[in-house]
Amino acid sequence: MSGRNAMRVLVGYSPDDRGEDALALAALVAEAAGASLTAAHVYPPPWPAHGPGRVDAEWVAYLKSQADEALAQAAERLRELSVPQERLTVRAHPHRGSGRGLAEVAREVGAGLIVIGSAPRGRRGRIAIGSTADQLLHGSPAPVMLAPRGYAGNAPGKLERLTIAYWRRRDVEGPLRTAAEFAGVLGLPMRLLTLVLRPPGLAARFQAAGGVLERQAAQADEDLREAAGFLGGGAPVERLTAVGTGIDKALGTVDMLPGEVLACHSSHDAPLRKVFLGESSGKIVRAAPCPVLVLPRAAGKAQVR
């Protein structure tokens, strides 16, 4: 990262509640990072009509005017959220897939982060993955941050901490350092979290179940110590192990600050430097009670700009 003012945040906006949630979170990120902010609205391109290459000019004009109106609303709202006019731009982009369209805009503007809201069907305070998120979480060129449903109505005054959901694997060092760079840009303390999953009914079936869990927790703590060592040299990193019968139950035991952000890794099968949501990360996204940052699998430095 070359400095706090070098980061550019791209926020995907639609004129509905999920768009408001995305704007509220993006404004907090931009304020914490001193970042430039681009609000983008992806609208459908027209279908060809009356022969190859011909489209209805009136329909094209209507689609573009609707996009411009949405972006005017987004810009007004961001100004209300104290985003300086000189650091704010808007972009209307035609594409049949809203997530893929946002990925194209991210490449064009050099965004280091894409912020979107939850699909509207989700529970309040949780994240549901709709088509936009699904497209971004399976091929975004930049990290993706998702706001829970209803975030705008109860947004904190500021971001307070970055908790990193950590599990040991061969290529974890890159995403871990990316998360640390995000924490540095946002000025947030870090916490490393490992989830130890207990099969349902384990204690009833095995007398030695307590010992098994103790060993798992001890190994998790050792893994967290090693992970903290990757980050070395900075402020002390809090470490926490949570136990539950599933990811949702384990996460439910973890105290979260009002301004918490939870980071998780892409699947280890992901292409380098692209986001690709795996099974465990997907469960974390859906169970988290706070915004979630999904990091790309990367071998080197973070691509936060």
Side-chain angles (χ1 to χ4, degrees):
M1 251 167 274
S2 58
R4 287 172 61 86
N5 292 324
M7 184 177 176
R8 177 169 294 278
V9 177
L10 173 67
V11 55
Y13 179 74
S14 55
D16 52 22
D17 289 345
R18 60 182 164 174
E20 292 292 321
D21 294 336
L23 294 182
L25 178 56
L28 289 174
V29 172
E31 180 180 8
S36 299
L37 181 59
T38 296
H41 178 74
V42 178
Y43 64 97
W47 291 96
H50 309 299
R54 296 184 60 188
V55 295
D56 187 325
E58 290 185 2
W59 181 241
V60 172
Y62 171 76
L63 291 174
K64 186 61 167 61
S65 69
Q66 291 293 103
D68 291 341
E69 182 178 338
L71 288 172
Q73 294 174 9
E76 181 179 0
R77 181 59 182 147
L78 287 168
R79 286 191 292 268
E80 292 173 356
L81 293 169
S82 302
V83 175
Q85 179 65 42
E86 64 271 17
R87 290 200 270 118
L88 174 61
T89 57
V90 297
R91 180 73 70 95
H93 186 74
H95 202 287
R96 301 203 187 284
S98 54
R100 290 189 291 272
L102 286 174
E104 287 184 357
V105 176
R107 293 186 187 95
E108 290 172 3
V109 303
L113 177 68
I114 302 173
V115 180
I116 58 173
S118 167
R121 69 174 183 275
R123 292 169 49 200
R124 290 192 68 83
R126 296 293 186 272
I127 296 166
I129 298 174
S131 59
T132 300
D134 186 64
Q135 290 169 17
L136 281 173
L137 295 175
H138 292 88
S140 171
V144 178
M145 189 179 288
L146 302 100
R149 185 167 176 246
Y151 190 76
N154 197 32
K158 63 178 182 178
L159 300 180
E160 297 178 89
R161 180 172 59 192
L162 182 67
T163 291
I164 305 165
Y166 175 80
W167 55 93
R168 185 175 181 176
R169 66 188 200 195
R170 65 180 181 273
D171 59 351
V172 76
E173 198 169 334
L176 191 60
R177 287 181 172 150
T178 301
E181 290 190 30
F182 263 103
V185 164
L186 296 173
L188 301 179
M190 284 186 296
R191 177 173 63 170
L192 287 170
L193 168 68
T194 286
L195 306 178
V196 174
L197 304 185
R198 180 182 66 233
L202 180 65
R205 295 199 303 269
F206 299 103
Q207 291 184 348
V212 171
L213 286 174
E214 287 177 4
R215 289 194 294 273
Q216 287 181 322
Q219 182 60 57
D221 187 60
E222 182 60 32
D223 291 344
L224 289 176
R225 289 178 185 274
E226 182 179 349
F230 289 151
L231 306 175
V237 178
E238 182 183 351
R239 304 189 307 271
L240 177 65
T241 299
V243 180
T245 54
I247 285 177
D248 56 341
K249 296 290 180 61
L251 263 183
T253 69
V254 178
D255 291 332
M256 298 289 188
L257 298 172
E260 197 84 48
V261 175
L262 179 63
C264 64
H265 311 153
S266 293
S267 166
H268 67 271
D269 295 323
L272 282 176
R273 303 189 184 282
K274 281 196 175 182
V275 168
F276 193 91
L277 199 66
E279 182 179 0
S280 295
S281 295
K283 290 178 179 178
I284 288 173
V285 169
R286 294 177 178 90
C290 63
V292 176
L293 171 65
V294 183
L295 301 166
R297 176 175 169 250
K301 285 181 67 64
Q303 295 187 73
V304 181
R305 289 178 280 272

